[in-house]
């Protein structure tokens, strides 16, 4: 009997080794990994340059705490400020923690800096912001809230891409709007740029913090450092985590200078946040993306992938559409995604779901055209098999 809680619906597969764009299971079977630990191992598994930085840090110092000065936190904060255009950084250990910090920052900014009694945060249907009590309340999906009542006050969810609904929801209590520019867990839904511009305008009008959750989209996944850079907006707060540490747990909140006072001494903190090993992993990851020009690689390979996936839309009645940006891609299926995932897995390629009928594809930035071609061929075969099976079923 397993002593683990059954909270994860795990696949019947134990991955025990990873190298580059491939992983191996206990039986020694090899898989092309287009899951990347859910948008985490963006440089592939055990990337040499990051490994080298981590090894050096292992010899130097593992942990000191935030009681002390932190040269590596300074370095990574400088780098994140440079690539985002934002000013202030606070490190934590996960995406949920980064969003939790954003929620706290928004409330405290309104109450302590603006001296106003505002606390409400507006979020959107289909969003995912994490599993802590506050972030699951912010999340626009009922399934993550089931059985956790009472939920914290101060959150309002309005329909995604409905500007009138947002306009109506803004009240004298609203302090911020939080959104994903490409909803990841919610089905790989890129937001319409016009709607996003209107959201930004409403935030400006009502003096609300515009907070972009880039936990999945950030650090190059969509082909720019951050997805917001493709939308021509200037967010007040951006959260990141998944792709920042190449697999080492690390998250961060980035914010505009005007929020600085809101997080004065004693306002917020975490024991592990900004741990030296996490900082080394983050610095190594950003350096690798820069050195190897991976942002333009993500754009180019993303376009290439999309072209080939569009072929599947034309070919198969089981595929409705292709969505996404860069190397965050989704296939809208007309059937449950589970069987497709199981069959591609048997053929040595790993994908993941985003909801019941969307197949999500999160390749490492280090993938190449021949791996993409192979993945699409496998998908094509699997879809054809399933289509034949369906036809037989119907004619029987
Ligand atoms: C994964 C994710 C989170 C939560 O991150 P954790 O590290 O699992 O806490 C929050 N927001 C988005 C957009 C995510 O994709």
């Amino acid at each position: 009997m397993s002593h683990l809680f059954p909270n994860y619906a795990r696949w019947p597969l134990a991955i025990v080794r990873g190298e580059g764009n491939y992983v191996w299971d206990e039986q020694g079977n090899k898989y092309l990994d287009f899951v990347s630990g859910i948008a985490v191992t963006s440089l592939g598994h055990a990337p040499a340059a990051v490994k080298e930085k981590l090894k050096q840090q292992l010899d130097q110092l593992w942990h000191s705490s935030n009681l002390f000065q932190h040269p590596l936190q300074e370095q990574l904060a400088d780098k994140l400020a440079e690539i985002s255009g934002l000013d202030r950084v606070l490190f934590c250990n996960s995406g949920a923690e980064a969003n939790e910090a954003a929620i706290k920052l928004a409330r405290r900014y309104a109450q302590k800096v603006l001296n106003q009694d505002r606390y409400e945060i507006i979020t959107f249907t289909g969003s995912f912001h994490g599993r802590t009590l506050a972030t699951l309340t912010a999340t626009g999906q009922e399934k993550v809230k089931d059985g956790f009542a009472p939920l914290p006050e101060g959150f309002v969810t309005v329909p995604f891409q409905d500007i009138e609904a947002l306009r109506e929801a803004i009240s004298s209590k609203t302090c911020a709007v939080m959104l994903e520019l490409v909803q990841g867990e919610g089905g790989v839904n890129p937001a319409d740029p016009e709607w996003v511009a209107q959201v930004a305008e409403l935030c400006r009008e009502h003096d609300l913090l515009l907070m972009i959750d880039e936990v999945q989209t950030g650090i190059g996944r969509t082909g720019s450092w951050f997805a917001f850079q493709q939308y021509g907006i200037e967010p007040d707060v951006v959260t990141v985590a998944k792709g920042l540490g190449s697999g080492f747990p690390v998250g961060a909140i980035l914010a505009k200078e005007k929020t600085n006072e809101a997080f004065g001494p004693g306002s917020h903190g975490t024991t592990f946040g900004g741990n030296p090993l996490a900082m080394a992993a983050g610095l190594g990851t950003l350096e690798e993306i820069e050195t190897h020009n991976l942002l333009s690689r993500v754009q180019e390979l993303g376009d290439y992938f999309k072209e080939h996936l569009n072929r599947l839309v034309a070919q198969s009645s089981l595929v409705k559409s292709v969505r996404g940006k860069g190397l965050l891609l989704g296939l809208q299926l007309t059937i449950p995604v589970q069987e497709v995932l199981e069959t591609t897995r048997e053929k040595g390629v790993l994908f993941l779901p985003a909801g019941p009928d969307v197949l999500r594809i999160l390749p490492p930035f280090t993938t190449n055209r021949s791996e993409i071609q192979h993945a699409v061929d496998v998908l094509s075969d699997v879809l054809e098999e399933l289509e034949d099976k369906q036809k037989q079923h119907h004619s029987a």
Side-chain angles (χ1 to χ4, degrees), residues 38-40 93-99 127-132 135 139 178-186 213-217 239-242 250-251 360:
I38 319 184
V40 169
N93 312 289
S94 69
E97 268 183 71
N99 287 332
S127 62
F128 182 79
H129 298 300
R131 298 277 191 168
T132 63
T135 57
T139 292
M178 182 184 261
L179 79 149
E180 296 169 85
L181 293 170
V182 182
Q183 291 186 334
E185 304 302 309
D213 178 349
E214 299 239 20
V215 169
Q216 188 152 164
T217 53
T239 53
V240 292
K242 288 190 166 94
V250 56
R360 185 167 28 155

Side-chain angles (χ1 to χ4, degrees), residues 62 96 169 174 177 191 196 199 259-260 287 339-342 351 365 369 377 385 387:
W62 293 16
T174 314
V177 169
V196 171
V199 173
T259 63
N260 184 43
E287 202 175 294
E339 198 173 351
V340 182
L341 293 176
E342 279 165 26
F351 302 106
F365 306 168
R369 289 185 173 219
D377 286 347
E385 280 172 32
E387 214 170 2

Side-chain angles (χ1 to χ4, degrees), residues 42-110:
S42 298
L43 305 176
H45 293 275
V50 182
K51 189 160 72 179
E52 202 41 54
K53 269 212 151 55
L54 271 171
K55 275 185 171 168
Q56 283 171 15
Q57 194 56 44
L58 276 170
D59 287 336
Q60 189 92 21
L61 176 73
W62 293 16
H63 181 79
S64 67
S65 94
N66 284 309
L67 294 169
F68 303 100
Q69 303 289 317
H70 252 291
L72 289 179
Q73 282 189 24
E74 298 286 352
Q75 275 183 44
L76 186 54
D78 286 353
K79 196 69 210 167
L80 287 168
E82 179 197 316
I83 63 177
S84 68
L86 289 155
D87 310 290
R88 293 286 162 180
V89 178
L90 182 142
F91 291 107
C92 55
N93 312 289
S94 69
E97 268 183 71
N99 287 332
E100 187 83 22
I103 291 163
K104 288 181 71 177
L105 184 73
R107 288 188 177 184
R108 213 169 142 93
Y109 173 70

